[in-house]
Amino acid sequence: MLRRDFLNDIARLAAMTAIVPNDWRVVLRPRWADDPIKLVIASGDPTPSSVMIWTRLAPRPLEPEGGMVGNRTAVNWEVADDDAFARVVKRGRATATPELAYSIHVDVTGLEPDRWYFYRFTSMDATSAVGRLRTAPADLASSPLRFGVVSCQHYEQGQYTAYQHLSREEIDLVTHLGDYIYEYGPTAGRVRLHDGPEIQTLTQYRNRYALYKSDALLQQAHARCPWILTWDDHEVDNNYAGSVGENLMESDEQMRARRAAAYQAWWEHQPVRAPRVRSWADLNIVRALSWGSLARFHVLDSRQFRSDQVCGDVYNAKVPCENWDNPSRTLLGDAQERWLAQGMQTSRARWQVLANQTMLGNVDYLPGADTGVAMDSWSGYPSARARLLRTIAQHGANRSVVLTGDNHANWVNEIRAPATAAAAGNYVTAEFLGTSISSGGDGSEKLTYFPEAVFTENTGVKWHNARRGYMVCEVTPAEWRTEFRTVPFVSKPDAPVETSTRWRLTNGRPGIQQE
């Protein structure tokens, strides 16, 4: 470059700097008094050529703005073949901004399919932990898949010991089915306490995520492999439905404002690939991800678009009332129902996987002739449930698996097609419902708050258990195996893990076999 051109460029840069407001400038060489990457790292939503990677700058995570001082800050990232980063394959720079809680979301593209990489973030002298990520297999590949399934991690109700064991599993990814945080205020006498009253504002939701992500065992699980995440109710408000809150104390406008804050904070703290929207209150996280030709994951949202619960939204043993079976009532919304039906119809994957929030199995919780159902789950929306099962019967019979959270217990359910489907009365799908990481405390071997007759009368229920833990699923073109890992307690650290039961599906064949 000529000296004259160089000086002219310097002059132009100086002039631009003079008119750019301070809060728009990017600090390239920040000075850190505390480690700014305490919330560590995560990866998610893998494709054959790309993976999302995430971090958030927060030197003092539980303070306002995470202890940042308002500057836009440069963060460097690297992806390498080795954990020593001697062979870096991708690198770049992103900007952490106060508007997005200084979070960083990078869609790393141009990667090779079906392989592991390592990644990290740096900002001046601060370097994050090293995480592992992997890409999905190529579109036509039938590589096997081994993955974990988790949900419901109430911080106050127990240690995250299940994550300690999950981090030692040889798995390709983790699916999280919701209730990543809980919105409640603190309750005295619990294992550990929330950091403030029930959360409603953006700052409060951000601080709650910071509290949860400060857990070292959760951090280890995120660093282990990529995650696929969806949300359920507690990311906003217990049992909320669309713009209707739990206690009916907030107007639609107030509930939308709360939902906008909650959705934004969720996105700011998760490694997800989500489309831009005009309003955070309308953030749409419904998406599909493929594992080659082996499995297609349909990630559902059964909160944002649902009709309000009827008969009261008590979870179990509510007697159906007027309007319960109204065909207009929906759990997914019309657009998502069409999207799922089209996706299952066009997918040629060997297995169709529904990442689902609430129980699909139609359990009657009252013994004898009386009927009691869970109004917040699919059984509280019988017409919507029938539409979903018709879709499964038509496009995924005996090659689909429903993965569910929310219930704080383990269930294995065989599910039949409704009377209105071509395969009426036949088994068409299996539901593996995984227990919580910590919600509900230590739990028990059996759901002791129901009479044993409940389980003998519900013939589709093959097994249940009320301990804490996670599921591990191993998938090949011919078979699907699910193992239920449980821990005996979460009220104190270092619980051992055991495999409580194993179940197997054969592609194209009805029914579930216990191993």
Side-chain angles (χ1 to χ4, degrees):
M1 178 184 291
L2 295 177
R3 181 175 182 273
R4 181 182 63 238
D5 294 337
F6 174 76
L7 293 175
N8 286 338
D9 287 345
I10 291 294
R12 283 195 295 270
L13 180 60
M16 290 175 60
T17 302
I19 63 173
V20 174
N22 286 334
D23 59 355
W24 287 9
R25 297 174 189 167
V26 177
V27 178
L28 299 179
R29 302 175 65 83
R31 296 181 180 180
W32 300 111
D34 298 291
D35 180 2
I37 317 182
K38 290 181 178 177
L39 300 184
V40 201
I41 55 176
S43 67
D45 283 7
T47 77
S49 61
S50 66
V51 179
M52 296 294 298
I53 59 174
W54 169 91
T55 193
R56 179 190 168 197
L57 299 184
R60 293 182 290 278
L62 299 183
E63 294 184 7
E65 297 190 352
M68 296 291 286
V69 294
N71 292 321
R72 297 168 182 264
T73 305
V75 178
N76 299 310
W77 57 269
E78 295 176 300
V79 174
D81 286 331
D82 62 311
D83 59 0
F85 289 81
R87 300 185 301 278
V88 174
V89 297
K90 294 285 180 180
R91 58 164 46 98
R93 175 179 290 169
T95 301
T97 69
E99 294 86 354
L100 297 175
Y102 302 94
S103 62
I104 296 291
H105 296 75
V106 179
D107 193 353
V108 183
T109 60
L111 303 176
E112 296 179 8
D114 201 10
R115 58 158 298 179
W116 288 97
Y117 293 93
F118 298 87
Y119 69 102
R120 68 183 179 186
F121 297 89
T122 59
S123 184
M124 277 300 291
D125 57 345
T127 301
S128 74
V130 174
R132 303 194 319 161
L133 63 80
R134 70 156 302 159
T135 52
D139 291 342
L140 298 180
S142 57
S143 305
L145 169 64
R146 182 178 171 85
F147 69 101
V149 184
V150 298
S151 66
C152 303
Q153 50 195 50
H154 196 312
Y155 183 85
E156 291 196 322
Q157 293 184 344
Q159 302 291 332
Y160 289 172
T161 313
Y163 280 131
Q164 181 179 6
H165 297 292
L166 181 64
S167 299
R168 298 168 180 165
E169 300 271 5
E170 288 299 328
I171 52 177
D172 299 299
L173 56 85
V174 168
T175 59
H176 195 295
L177 301 174
D179 293 346
Y180 193 97
I181 63 167
Y182 280 69
E183 81 282 16
Y184 303 130
T187 300
R190 286 185 166 166
V191 175
R192 45 190 182 175
L193 295 180
H194 280 155
D195 54 337
E198 180 163 337
I199 54 178
Q200 293 184 319
T201 69
L202 179 57
T203 296
Q204 290 171 336
Y205 281 108
R206 285 170 170 171
N207 287 352
R208 187 59 54 85
Y209 278 100
L211 176 68
Y212 277 54
K213 282 185 172 288
S214 68
D215 186 277
L217 301 181
L218 175 59
Q219 293 175 358
Q220 290 175 18
H222 270 298
R224 181 67 173 168
C225 61
W227 286 35
I228 299 173
L229 298 108
T230 186
W231 56 42
D232 194 17
D233 53 338
H234 289 289
E235 286 86 351
V236 180
D237 185 31
N238 180 51
N239 285 4
Y240 85 97
S243 58
V244 180
E246 176 185 18
N247 298 316
L248 305 179
M249 299 295 290
E250 297 162 297
S251 67
D252 285 358
E253 182 179 355
Q254 290 170 325
M255 193 61 197
R256 277 186 59 81
R258 184 176 183 181
R259 202 172 79 178
Y263 288 0
Q264 179 175 345
W266 181 88
W267 180 87
E268 289 172 345
H269 289 84
Q270 306 297 9
V272 293
R273 186 181 290 107
R276 294 180 181 272
V277 290
R278 292 186 176 182
S279 166
W280 283 109
D282 301 314
L283 180 65
N284 188 354
I285 63 166
V286 174
R287 61 204 189 279
L289 296 157
S290 291
W291 193 262
S293 63
L294 180 70
R296 181 75 163 169
F297 286 81
H298 306 273
V299 183
L300 306 182
D301 175 1
S302 64
R303 286 293 164 188
Q304 183 175 177
F305 310 107
R306 70 157 66 192
S307 307
D308 192 16
Q309 300 93 342
V310 296
C311 321
D313 58 3
V314 175
Y315 193 83
N316 297 319
K318 195 73 176 178
V319 176
C321 62
E322 186 179 1
N323 209 38
W324 167 67
D325 58 354
N326 188 323
S328 68
R329 298 182 64 245
T330 178
L331 205 69
L332 301 180
D334 294 341
Q336 189 175 182
E337 285 187 14
R338 291 192 299 270
W339 168 84
L340 178 60
Q342 182 179 15
M344 293 190 69
Q345 180 180 7
T346 57
S347 174
R348 296 295 175 263
R350 291 285 294 175
W351 297 96
Q352 303 294 312
V353 187
L354 275 61
N356 167 63
Q357 287 81 10
T358 59
M359 185 187 284
L360 183 63
N362 199 23
V363 176
D364 179 357
Y365 291 98
L366 294 179
D370 295 328
T371 298
V373 300
M375 292 298 170
D376 188 59
S377 70
W378 280 95
S379 59
Y381 300 75
S383 295
R385 182 179 183 273
R387 291 194 296 270
L388 174 63
L389 291 181
R390 284 198 297 271
T391 294
I392 293 174
Q394 185 174 0
H395 304 302
N398 302 313
R399 64 181 190 95
S400 62
V401 177
V402 180
L403 301 175
T404 303
D406 179 65
N407 194 263
H408 306 174
N410 290 308
W411 298 76
V412 176
N413 296 325
E414 288 181 330
I415 298 178
R416 296 179 184 271
T420 52
N426 295 334
Y427 288 116
V428 292
T429 191
E431 179 178 40
F432 295 117
L433 192 157
T435 187
S436 64
I437 291 292
S438 60
S439 302
D442 289 339
S444 58
E445 287 302 309
K446 294 285 187 178
L447 291 167
T448 55
Y449 42 87
F450 294 124
E452 189 61 31
V454 166
F455 303 102
T456 58
E457 292 176 9
N458 288 278
T459 57
V461 177
K462 298 304 176 185
W463 181 77
H464 73 281
N465 168 282
R467 290 294 185 196
R468 307 296 150 239
Y470 57 94
M471 297 186 291
V472 174
C473 301
E474 190 166 351
V475 189
T476 67
E479 293 184 329
W480 178 298
R481 285 181 165 84
T482 296
E483 299 181 344
F484 288 81
R485 306 269 201 265
T486 57
V487 294
F489 54 83
V490 293
S491 53
K492 56 185 178 181
D494 300 323
V497 69
E498 66 176 22
T499 300
S500 293
T501 189
R502 297 179 175 88
W503 297 81
R504 176 170 54 87
L505 303 172
T506 301
N507 193 280
R509 184 182 302 171
I512 315 173
Q513 293 79 45
Q514 188 171 18
E515 295 190 327

